[in-house]
Amino acid sequence: MPLSATQALTAPQTRKRRGRGQLVPALLFLAPAILGFLAFFAWPAMRGLYLSFTDYNLLSDPQWVGLENYQQIAGDPVFWRSLAVTMQYVVINIVVQTVIALGLAVLLHRFTRSMVIRGIVMLPYLIANVIVALVWYWLADYNLGLINSALDAIGLDRIGFFGDAQFAMTTIALVNVWRHLGYTTLLIFAGLQAIPRDVYEAASVDGAGEWRTFWSITLPLLRPVLAFVLVVTVVGSFQIFDTIAVTTQGGPVDATNAITYYIYDRAFTRFDFGYASALSVILMFILAVIALVQMRAFRAGQSDLER
Amino acid sequence: MATTTLTAVRPRGRRSKNDEPRSSASPIGRILGWIAIGAVIVVTLFPFYWMLRTALSNNRAMFSEPLSLLPVEPTLGPLQRVLGLSSTADALAEGGSVGAINFSQYLLNSLIVCTLITVFQVMLSAMAAYAFSLLEWRGRDVVFSIFLIALLVPGMFTLLPNFLLVREMGLLNSYIGIALPAMFFSPFVVFFLRQFFLGVNRSFIEAAVIDGAGQWRIFSRIVLPMVMGPIITIGILQFIFYWNDYLWPLLVGQTEETTLLTVGLGIFRSQTPQGSPDWAGLMAGSLIAAIPVFILVLVFGRRIVGSIQSSGVK
């Protein structure tokens, strides 16, 4: 048999190849990625950490100042305010978005497998933040926008959705609910599809109603997926920038001056790169803590199905 | 042969019992459920319609009929003026802004930069994914987990130092300066493609080794064609991602020749006068920036939905 003949001939060769490993070709294949990783990720990350301990305005060399930036940040009212409005944004955005997405995913899962409907629901997520922000900025414009014109027409007061410090951050949070709803829905929908049908059939045999089924079966079995969704969306939500940059630019009176916008502002309008770097380090630290706490709280790695 | 390997790589899963909607809710429940789904669809699509309606309106006339559901004095003027195709007089007559905004140039810039990033990033990431899945070498898993750290670090953290680096390289305000940091790899793409490489049927590779094919040949002639589907999918997703990106191109591309569409929209918005903004022009620009994404969704919607869904249950 020619086949066994080739096998016999090549077997030692293959074994030799295994033993030596394929390190050289692996390094060649990885070379561009390693270069990119070192040049545009590892090195900038270390440099960012270093700059956070310096005073640097782009014009002269960075001056080492130790912990001074961090001390200043601790006493910086704008920083604490930016943290507060970011939290406000994240809470409104995540709560509204997750609740609606959960409801929508359950409805879609219950009634339809239409790809067209899922595609429509996901569409806003694929459109640029900037465009989404501009369309809603126009819809909610105080004088000419559709929403305020409609409010006016039915005899209600106009609302300064973006211009009023009381509403601006809520408005931005809801605009981004609109953009991310489909993405969150699809992730939860995929989680629902992974729940075995038999579990539902058993529940139905036991006489459990829709509501009971949702609370006792769907929600607990969805926990790992919800944990993943929450970690991803909370970490993303914390980095809100684009929407603010093209609408309120942090105003009115810092009501929408979220942490990333504050970093941008310190770095690129005041050229305070050391201070901005220290703010970035703090942001990264906060995000890491949030992600860890969430993973813990939801026991994200474990599934109730496997137990 | 090719089709069998493709299905082996992409376990589509025939429509199982599990994949069909559960039957029989009460009629009232069904009606309420569909009303809710319908409401979400309307709220999702309406802003896009409003964008189109405004982009086709006469900006001056629109102010007197803010509630009209149809374009007011329908005109192609706003689209023409943001593309630089109408005269200043025409633009003024329709209440357009006369700022030097030229979306044709921005459109070209965006197309070039996003294509450059996508082609290099997907190709080089595929090479990395190959080394992390189908090549056997010591330390592979350790190096891979180091790579994945990049996935967890927020973009804001490396943004400032990367700006300094590109500035020191003298690449500010150039296509390459905008594209470079993203061209070499994306941890997300490496991770995504590695899943598919791991599913490749290794007997083909072993057969090629016996034939004396080198690693490059095995990668480019055997493995790549088998995972062409996922490569196209991730290419589309990354193209859309960079098409929509705002902060990085805002920092690095500030001349007319390097302004990307999203950045141009931001400039347009900040230049419009408070009293009589050129909303029609702004929506026309937004529409132009969104159209390529609409087209990609129309053509590849199923792929995109599928891959976003699957990213949830790994």
Side-chain angles (χ1 to χ4, degrees), chain B residues 182-195:
Chain B
M183 275 165 64
F184 292 97
F185 87 114
S186 142
F188 172 65
V189 178
V190 174
F191 183 74
F192 179 92
L193 289 178
R194 180 175 165 272
Q195 309 280 330

Side-chain angles (χ1 to χ4, degrees), chain A residues 22 26 39-40 44 47 58 110 113 118 126 128 135 137-138 144 149 178 187 193 195 197 239 246-247, chain B residues 17-20 22-23 43-44 51 54 63 66 135-137 161-162 164-165 168 215 244 269 309:
Chain A
Q22 295 168 316
F40 297 107
R47 191 173 180 192
L58 286 185
R110 194 81 174 76
R113 288 294 172 273
R118 271 183 272 166
L126 298 172
V135 172
Y137 195 60
W138 165 220
L144 303 161
S149 301
W178 183 81
L187 293 183
Q193 282 188 309
I195 298 177
R197 184 75 166 259
Q239 299 177 65
V246 292
T247 58
Chain B
K17 192 173 67 154
N18 212 26
D19 193 41
E20 269 153 39
R22 281 191 288 141
S23 54
V43 172
T44 301
M51 188 156 94
T54 308
F63 295 161
L135 295 178
E136 309 284 341
W137 45 286
N162 262 330
L164 296 176
L165 181 61
E168 282 149 15
Q215 287 300 340
N244 293 343
R269 138 85 180 99
Q309 265 187 209

Side-chain angles (χ1 to χ4, degrees), chain A residues 157-179:
Chain A
D157 285 341
R158 289 172 186 267
I159 298 172
F161 289 102
F162 287 96
D164 189 330
Q166 197 186 336
F167 299 118
M169 207 45 162
T170 307
T171 304
I172 291 174
L174 294 179
V175 166
N176 284 330
V177 167
W178 183 81
R179 181 170 186 264

Side-chain angles (χ1 to χ4, degrees), chain A residues 99-302:
Chain A
V99 169
I100 300 180
L102 185 59
L104 182 61
V106 169
L107 284 176
L108 290 179
H109 185 246
R110 194 81 174 76
F111 292 142
T112 177
R113 288 294 172 273
S114 163
M115 265 292 180
V116 175
I117 292 183
R118 271 183 272 166
I120 290 174
V121 168
M122 191 201 49
L123 189 58
Y125 174 68
L126 298 172
I127 301 298
N129 278 315
V130 172
I131 298 176
V132 170
L134 288 175
V135 172
W136 283 99
Y137 195 60
W138 165 220
L139 278 163
D141 182 67
Y142 190 83
N143 294 313
L144 303 161
L146 178 69
I147 298 173
N148 271 317
S149 301
L151 287 177
D152 195 46
I154 57 173
L156 296 173
D157 285 341
R158 289 172 186 267
I159 298 172
F161 289 102
F162 287 96
D164 189 330
Q166 197 186 336
F167 299 118
M169 207 45 162
T170 307
T171 304
I172 291 174
L174 294 179
V175 166
N176 284 330
V177 167
W178 183 81
R179 181 170 186 264
H180 288 102
L181 181 68
Y183 174 71
T184 313
T185 304
L186 281 191
L187 293 183
I188 297 176
F189 182 89
L192 289 171
Q193 282 188 309
I195 298 177
R197 184 75 166 259
D198 325 6
V199 187
Y200 285 115
E201 276 159 12
S204 139
V205 167
D206 290 349
E210 294 274 340
W211 195 245
R212 181 79 206 278
T213 310
F214 174 77
W215 286 105
S216 322
I217 298 185
T218 310
L219 211 49
L221 288 181
L222 217 46
R223 201 201 60 235
V225 174
L226 280 178
F228 170 82
V229 167
L230 280 174
V231 172
V232 170
T233 53
V234 168
V235 168
S237 186
F238 240 91
Q239 299 177 65
I240 164 79
F241 177 85
D242 301 359
T243 321
I244 293 170
V246 292
T247 58
T248 58
Q249 293 168 332
V253 285
D254 282 344
T256 61
N257 193 7
I259 182 87
T260 41
Y261 195 80
Y262 185 45
I263 294 174
Y264 165 80
D265 186 43
R266 284 307 280 238
F268 293 99
T269 58
R270 294 191 244 172
F271 300 103
D272 219 344
F273 268 69
Y275 198 84
S277 299
L279 287 169
S280 309
V281 172
I282 290 173
L283 171 67
M284 192 177 71
F285 186 73
I286 294 173
L287 291 179
V289 169
I290 288 176
L292 280 178
V293 168
Q294 281 181 315
M295 302 290 272
R296 271 283 163 86
F298 281 92
R299 294 171 293 139
Q302 304 163 20

